[in-house]
């Protein structure tokens, strides 16, 4: 959509005005991916390899990001992947993911990893958690708008606020590193 408007002191100019996308509730894209761990998933210690869990986390988060944004989304970063307990062969792993926060073209997906013995009825134990940032992309790989997420519960609202804090820290860290590199370059240091 193109609109023409006058800016004080300037002639008419055309600007792109993006239509506002309707928001989506948190529950609209929330999902759980479950997988039984086998011997092919183990590391040298006989427990499930962390990389296997990370792939499941990325798969579940990617599904949620694609569902929320209504199309392709790519992993931009993974924050705070925490392994809380080992996962063993025979564990049924549940990876629960939801959109916590949305920006213009990106979204944070929170993931909880639970495990239970495949043949027992005991409640699952949380074994991991992670936060991933996804960017929605179009067919050419260019960023595209995402609908705002609408938190539905107090827990969703808390996650939204925490995600905003993590985003602020990510941006501040990126800015501080860039400034340090620029300073070192100005002082003649090569990286």
């Amino acid at each position: 959509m193109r609109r023409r408007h006058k800016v004080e002191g300037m002639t008419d100019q055309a600007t792109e005005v993006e239509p506002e996308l309707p928001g989506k509730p948190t529950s609209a894209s929330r999902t759980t991916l479950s997988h039984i761990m086998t011997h092919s998933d183990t590391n040298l210690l006989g427990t499930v390899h962390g990389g296997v869990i990370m792939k499941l986390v990325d798969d579940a988060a990617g599904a949620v990001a694609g569902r929320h944004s209504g199309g392709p989304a790519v992993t931009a970063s993974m924050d705070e992947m925490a392994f809380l307990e080992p996962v063993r062969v025979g564990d049924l792993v549940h990876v629960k993911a939801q959109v916590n926060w949305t920006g213009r073209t990106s979204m944070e997906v929170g993931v909880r990893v639970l495990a239970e013995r495949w043949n027992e009825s005991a409640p699952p134990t949380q074994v991991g958690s992670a936060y991933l940032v996804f960017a929605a992309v179009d067919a050419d790989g260019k960023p595209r708008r995402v609908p705002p997420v609408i938190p539905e519960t107090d827990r969703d609202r808390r996650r939204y606020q925490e995600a905003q804090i993590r985003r602020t820290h990510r941006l501040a860290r990126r800015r501080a590193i860039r400034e340090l590199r620029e300073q070192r370059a100005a002082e003649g240091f090569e990286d």
Side-chain angles (χ1 to χ4, degrees):
M1 170 191 303
R2 294 180 67 81
R3 291 190 183 157
R4 298 187 83 59
H5 69 282
K6 285 194 176 203
V7 177
E8 189 174 319
M10 301 180 83
T11 60
D12 275 358
Q13 65 184 51
T15 59
E16 292 290 328
V17 177
E18 296 176 338
E20 193 63 33
L21 295 174
K24 286 186 176 180
T26 306
S27 62
S29 57
R30 187 180 288 140
T31 195
T32 300
L33 173 69
S34 297
H35 188 78
I36 294 178
M37 298 292 108
T38 66
H39 287 286
S40 64
D41 299 318
T42 60
N43 58 27
L44 296 174
L45 298 175
T47 57
V48 172
H49 196 289
V52 171
I53 301 300
M54 290 175 76
K55 182 178 183 332
L56 293 173
V57 164
D58 192 43
D59 287 346
V64 166
R67 289 170 76 171
H68 182 82
S69 68
V74 296
T75 311
S77 70
M78 178 183 271
D79 288 352
E80 302 178 36
M81 179 70 215
F83 297 99
L84 306 173
E85 298 284 337
V87 177
R88 304 189 188 295
V89 170
D91 281 353
L92 178 58
V93 172
H94 308 285
V95 183
K96 297 177 176 283
Q98 75 172 47
V99 173
N100 289 336
W101 174 90
T102 53
R104 197 174 81 72
T105 61
S106 65
M107 61 208 108
E108 183 194 91
V109 178
V111 180
R112 289 178 55 226
V113 184
L114 307 168
E116 61 182 312
R117 295 306 295 169
W118 70 273
N119 59 349
E120 297 176 7
S121 60
T125 302
Q126 184 170 351
V127 295
S129 66
Y131 300 101
L132 296 88
V133 176
F134 279 79
V137 294
D138 64 17
D140 297 322
K142 303 286 186 218
R144 63 181 175 79
R145 294 283 307 270
V146 299
V149 67
I150 302 169
E152 299 173 282
T153 66
D154 287 339
R155 177 183 272 183
D156 293 342
R157 285 183 277 282
R158 176 187 54 80
R159 288 178 175 169
Y160 185 91
Q161 291 171 329
E162 290 172 356
Q164 288 179 305
I165 293 168
R166 283 187 291 275
R167 180 176 187 274
T168 299
H169 288 187
R170 275 192 297 273
L171 294 175
R173 182 179 62 233
R174 188 178 305 148
R175 186 173 42 255
I177 290 170
R178 185 182 66 242
E179 289 170 0
L180 176 63
R181 288 179 179 174
E182 290 170 356
Q183 176 186 347
R184 288 182 53 80
E187 292 170 356
F189 292 102
E190 292 184 34
D191 286 336

